[in-house]
Amino acid sequence: DNPAAKYTQAKVNVDHMRTTFERMKSLYESGGISRQEFDNVIVLAVVENLGLLGDKSAFDDLLYAQI
């Protein structure tokens, strides 16, 4: 288990989810997708973030390794 690799992967996941959210938000606002589809993206973003928070040990490991 490499803390730096876990952190990097988590950051990539967050950046990807942020980009996806912004795209879907734009589509929703222009009428390109339904509210339900947009809500699904919101739920997915929340679940992804909870998963990252659940693996907080990766961030703690990285933080303490740098001290």
Side-chain angles (χ1 to χ4, degrees):
D1 292 328
N2 182 341
K6 284 184 180 182
Y7 172 81
T8 300
Q9 184 61 49
K11 183 170 180 354
V12 167
N13 289 345
V14 168
D15 290 345
H16 175 28
M17 185 50 62
R18 183 176 292 125
T19 300
T20 300
F21 175 81
E22 290 300 327
R23 287 181 185 147
M24 298 302 266
K25 179 181 175 193
S26 179
L27 281 171
Y28 171 68
E29 291 173 345
S30 68
I33 62 171
S34 70
R35 178 64 197 204
Q36 181 62 49
E37 290 169 307
F38 186 56
D39 287 347
N40 290 343
V41 170
I42 293 169
V43 168
L44 180 59
V46 169
V47 168
E48 286 288 324
N49 284 319
L50 287 175
L52 294 175
L53 292 174
D55 194 16
K56 185 178 174 293
S57 64
F59 299 104
D60 290 343
D61 290 347
L62 183 61
L63 175 66
Y64 293 123
Q66 292 180 351
I67 293 177

